[in-house]
Amino acid sequence: MAATMTGTIPVLIYDGDCGICREWVDYWLSLTGHRVIYRSYQSAAADYPNIPAEEFRHSIRLFEGDKVYAGAAATLRLLSYVPGHGLGWLLYRFLPGFAAISEMVYHFSARHRGLLRHVTHLLWGRHYTAPRYTNTGWCFLRGLGLIYVSAFVSAAVQITGLIGESGLLPIADYLERMQGYYSGLAWYHVPTLFWIANSDAVLQLACLAGAAAGVLVTFNRLTTPALIAAFVLYLGIVHPGQAFFMFQWDLLLLEAGFLAIFLQSWPTMTRWLYRWLLWRYLFMAGIVKLISGDPTWHGLTALQYHFETQPLPTPLAWYAHQLPDTVLTAATAFTLLLELVFVFLVFGPRRFRMLLGWLVLVFQAGILLTGNYNFFNLLTMLLTLWLFDDAALARLTRGARSLQAIEIRSGITGKAFCILFSLMIVLPGLNYIARYTLNDTLPVGRQISAFIDPFMIVNPYGLFANMTTSRPEIVIEGSVNNRDWLAYEFRYKPGDPGRAPPWNILHQPRLDWQMWFAALGSPGRQSWFKPLLVRLLENETGVTRLFAHNPFPDSGPRYIRARLYDYRFTEPGSHDWWRRERKRLYYPAITLDEIHGRPRSTMPFEY
């Protein structure tokens, strides 16, 4: 008997005259390698005289010593020899009804092999072998390194003005409050190296060190230690960065960067966790739009407002806003379909995953061209790499001769780690989804979330749940006599109606972004707004550098105020990009004397 001759190595017997059977056997062989022996029944039937040849023609057989599996059982048992493919066999054995359904599907496919061939080619391709992700992983890490570089460099040019010693929300004050609130556990709830030192020089040094770590990742040098350093440093900035560094792209970078630490050691686990992250990020973005009850999403009119009212539009946003309503309605419907329906293709067969990948790439490219969202869209596009394998990326990586294989480690300890680590990531993610969809949380997920929340490795997502339909803008003005006022022009947010919306992809001007949020509310809800006015009165260099132009470069203004305007895109044919209408005073004129408790000497002409 073949089973005896091969010892403990299992033997799969199949119909060698069946073309689709040979294709699947070639695929299984690429997965299992020498762990399983494959023989056609035409050459092996004589070794199994107790089994009629007709039965071999109807279904495959897997021989494990004295045990024999047939049909779906043979298929799933065979796949259990492949690391990471044993779930099907466990479900077959222990999930009620799964075995019966599996056998029903198998025998239907065996009776309709022509249909099986067409479905196989549709879902997996004509020449499908075991997918490999060596080049995919290599390209992902290089892209992630570049994004880390851009994130840290962007932070470096503005961090002292935002959270420095004379910044808007000084880091030292924040850490002191956290120390008083959490006492001895402050270091755990606010994990940052700035507990050791937090001067302006240290803030700059941390950004430069993070950028250097990103460079190492980009050039594939000391990759894993550099990834650890980049994650720790960026986490250390996000926490004390407070309102200026708590954007969803900061959280997404932390989550993606944390998973990357394990990519070279446990690539299969990490690849699936990246797909899970992409699914959760997109699906939650769709869910929040539904549960918000926002009429623009439910009425498919959201994109008729979005390009005009988004925080930092690009010049192309003006042209997108002029598109016919039917086109914008269709684009809104596509957005919801992608985030709520197509997103489930992430768990589908190869070609379905690739289809989703292209849909996401096109979707993100559209956002990138019409809105300045720093590295957000590029990071999302980078995550879609995990929907493609090396074969799909062959054309892109053909000339990259220096690609290096990613190290793979296995063993019982490694498998146990993968299981526990995956549960630590997946369960809190399910907890967030349950909170959105069921208005409740999962007990286990809630406990894990409470433990890992300070490290921001699993986060909630969901941008633009409520679409803004108007664009209020704050214009800050200074004066030396309370009569003649000059505006502080921001670098990127709308100000001068004749200035085209600028590009700032990769860089995030964090004060400009927060000004968009501030205009939607009241100044009292923004803890940084009054300090901003004070720093401008003091002519603080770190803060004035955040603006495109300082109208009072020598000694600063004596008075400062903020006005609220309504901005709209102009119609075609206009020489300006924006038309604006004055609404009201957002913050009344103040002076340093008032701030320090001294009354003004005069208040002429203020209105």
Side-chain angles (χ1 to χ4, degrees):
M1 297 283 289
T4 303
M5 291 168 54
T6 58
T8 58
I9 301 178
V11 180
L12 182 81
I13 308 299
Y14 64 96
D15 184 359
D17 293 332
C18 170
I20 189 60
C21 298
R22 292 195 303 270
E23 290 186 29
W24 275 103
V25 166
D26 289 342
Y27 169 63
W28 291 333
L29 177 60
S30 69
L31 287 176
T32 63
H34 299 297
R35 290 186 288 268
V36 177
I37 294 175
Y38 298 87
R39 301 180 66 189
S40 67
Y41 88 85
Q42 286 84 354
S43 63
D47 294 331
Y48 302 93
N50 296 329
I51 302 179
E54 188 66 21
E55 293 189 15
F56 284 122
R57 281 195 291 268
H58 287 161
S59 63
I60 61 173
R61 293 289 192 280
L62 180 69
F63 293 87
E64 284 185 349
D66 296 331
K67 295 182 180 179
V68 182
Y69 304 95
T75 304
L76 296 173
R77 178 59 179 165
L78 167 74
L79 292 175
S80 69
Y81 286 92
V82 183
H85 289 69
L87 178 60
W89 178 240
L90 291 176
L91 295 176
Y92 187 95
R93 292 181 63 193
F94 300 111
L95 182 63
F98 186 85
I101 295 174
S102 300
E103 295 296 346
M104 186 184 306
V105 172
Y106 179 90
H107 289 294
F108 176 84
S109 302
R111 291 194 302 269
H112 302 84
R113 298 186 184 186
L115 176 62
L116 176 62
R117 174 189 288 268
H118 289 303
V119 172
T120 297
H121 293 170
L122 174 66
L123 301 184
W124 286 277
R126 290 183 173 274
H127 306 287
Y128 185 47
T129 58
R132 302 189 183 281
Y133 297 89
T134 301
N135 289 2
T136 302
W138 190 93
C139 293
F140 177 83
L141 288 178
R142 307 294 76 80
L144 183 64
L146 288 173
I147 288 176
Y148 262 133
V149 172
S150 68
F152 279 109
V153 171
S154 175
V157 299
Q158 51 189 323
I159 194 168
T160 55
L162 298 177
I163 62 171
E165 295 169 277
S166 298
L168 306 182
L169 296 175
I171 184 174
D173 295 345
Y174 172 77
L175 293 179
E176 184 179 352
R177 291 197 304 272
M178 294 301 101
Q179 181 68 50
Y181 186 80
Y182 291 113
S183 188
L185 291 177
W187 61 270
Y188 170 79
H189 290 282
V190 184
T192 175
L193 296 177
F194 295 133
W195 285 110
I196 301 172
N198 50 62
S199 66
D200 286 355
V202 171
L203 293 178
Q204 291 287 340
L205 181 62
C207 292
L208 294 177
V215 170
L216 289 175
V217 174
T218 302
F219 289 97
N220 201 20
R221 296 291 185 268
L222 301 174
T223 302
T224 299
L227 286 168
I228 295 173
F231 172 80
V232 170
L233 288 168
Y234 204 68
L235 177 67
I237 291 174
V238 169
H239 263 293
Q242 304 162 77
F244 294 112
F245 284 87
M246 280 291 183
F247 292 97
Q248 293 195 28
W249 37 86
D250 296 314
L251 304 182
L252 186 64
L253 179 56
L254 285 172
E255 196 163 344
F258 179 74
L259 293 178
I261 294 171
F262 305 93
L263 182 56
Q264 291 184 294
S265 299
W266 291 280
T268 301
M269 171 200 72
T270 310
R271 179 173 72 250
W272 280 103
L273 289 178
Y274 271 125
R275 291 175 183 171
W276 165 253
L277 170 59
L278 181 63
W279 176 83
R280 180 164 49 85
Y281 156 61
L282 291 173
F283 184 66
M284 293 176 80
I287 284 295
V288 297
K289 294 176 176 63
L290 286 187
I291 64 176
S292 68
D294 183 79
T296 66
W297 287 112
H298 286 256
L300 301 182
T301 60
L303 292 190
Q304 295 177 24
Y305 304 97
H306 168 73
F307 300 109
E308 181 179 62
T309 64
Q310 63 180 317
L312 300 180
T314 70
L316 295 182
W318 185 93
Y319 296 94
H321 182 69
Q322 313 302 328
L323 291 172
D325 288 349
T326 52
V327 175
L328 297 175
T329 297
T332 306
F334 171 76
T335 300
L336 295 175
L337 283 173
L338 175 64
E339 295 176 342
L340 295 170
V341 179
F342 295 149
V343 67
F344 284 91
L345 296 179
V346 76
F347 304 115
R350 176 177 184 260
R351 285 196 167 181
F352 279 11
R353 291 198 303 268
M354 291 169 57
L355 172 61
L356 174 63
W358 283 112
L359 291 175
V360 174
L361 288 173
V362 170
F363 177 62
Q364 292 296 322
I367 299 175
L368 184 147
L369 291 172
T370 57
N372 288 294
Y373 295 93
N374 50 81
F375 56 79
F376 200 18
N377 305 118
L378 294 175
L379 180 55
T380 304
M381 296 167 84
L382 192 65
L383 290 173
T384 63
L385 279 180
W386 296 110
L387 304 179
F388 301 90
D389 54 26
D390 286 356
L393 298 179
R395 292 184 180 180
L396 296 177
T397 59
R398 186 173 297 164
R401 301 300 181 187
S402 61
L403 295 183
Q404 300 178 9
I406 293 179
E407 178 185 359
I408 300 177
R409 301 175 184 175
S410 59
I412 296 177
T413 303
K415 292 178 180 178
F417 170 83
C418 288
I419 293 173
L420 293 176
F421 183 85
S422 298
L423 290 175
M424 184 182 72
I425 299 298
V426 172
L427 289 178
L430 288 174
N431 191 53
Y432 284 124
I433 294 172
R435 183 185 301 172
Y436 282 7
T437 57
L438 305 176
N439 199 28
D440 198 1
T441 55
L442 307 174
V444 177
R446 183 167 60 246
Q447 294 173 2
I448 298 177
S449 294
F451 176 73
I452 66 174
D453 271 353
F455 307 102
M456 299 182 183
I457 57 177
V458 181
N459 304 289
Y461 300 101
L463 282 174
F464 296 109
N466 294 281
M467 183 60 63
T468 51
T469 57
S470 63
R471 185 183 193 93
E473 283 288 353
I474 299 170
V475 175
I476 298 176
E477 299 172 327
S479 173
V480 294
N481 57 17
N482 204 21
R483 180 175 60 249
D484 302 311
W485 296 89
L486 297 177
Y488 283 84
E489 191 75 15
F490 283 80
R491 293 181 183 272
Y492 302 102
K493 89 176 190 70
D496 178 4
R499 187 185 67 165
W503 295 89
N504 60 281
I505 304 300
L506 288 180
H507 172 56
Q508 185 194 356
R510 295 177 180 271
L511 178 59
D512 295 56
W513 262 86
Q514 284 296 348
M515 289 294 292
W516 182 82
F517 288 106
L520 299 175
S522 63
R525 298 181 61 184
Q526 318 298 327
S527 59
W528 51 269
F529 191 81
K530 185 176 180 179
L532 170 62
L533 301 183
V534 172
R535 294 294 183 265
L536 292 178
L537 288 169
E538 295 171 341
N539 214 26
E540 170 58 43
T541 304
V543 174
T544 58
R545 276 202 301 256
L546 300 175
F547 291 80
H549 172 66
N550 181 5
F552 304 94
D554 298 327
S555 59
R558 184 182 178 189
Y559 302 90
I560 200 158
R561 71 183 182 187
R563 288 199 168 278
L564 196 67
Y565 288 80
D566 181 72
Y567 274 64
R568 298 284 180 175
F569 273 142
T570 56
E571 302 297 329
S574 173
H575 295 294
D576 290 334
W577 290 82
W578 300 97
R579 51 185 172 88
R580 69 181 187 180
E581 178 185 353
R582 182 187 296 176
K583 289 298 183 182
R584 58 181 173 85
L585 197 64
Y586 183 80
Y587 201 98
I590 58 172
T591 66
L592 282 178
D593 286 340
E594 286 185 308
I595 292 168
H596 297 308
R598 297 188 295 269
R600 287 188 193 176
S601 59
T602 180
M603 296 177 57
F605 304 109
E606 184 172 345
Y607 60 94

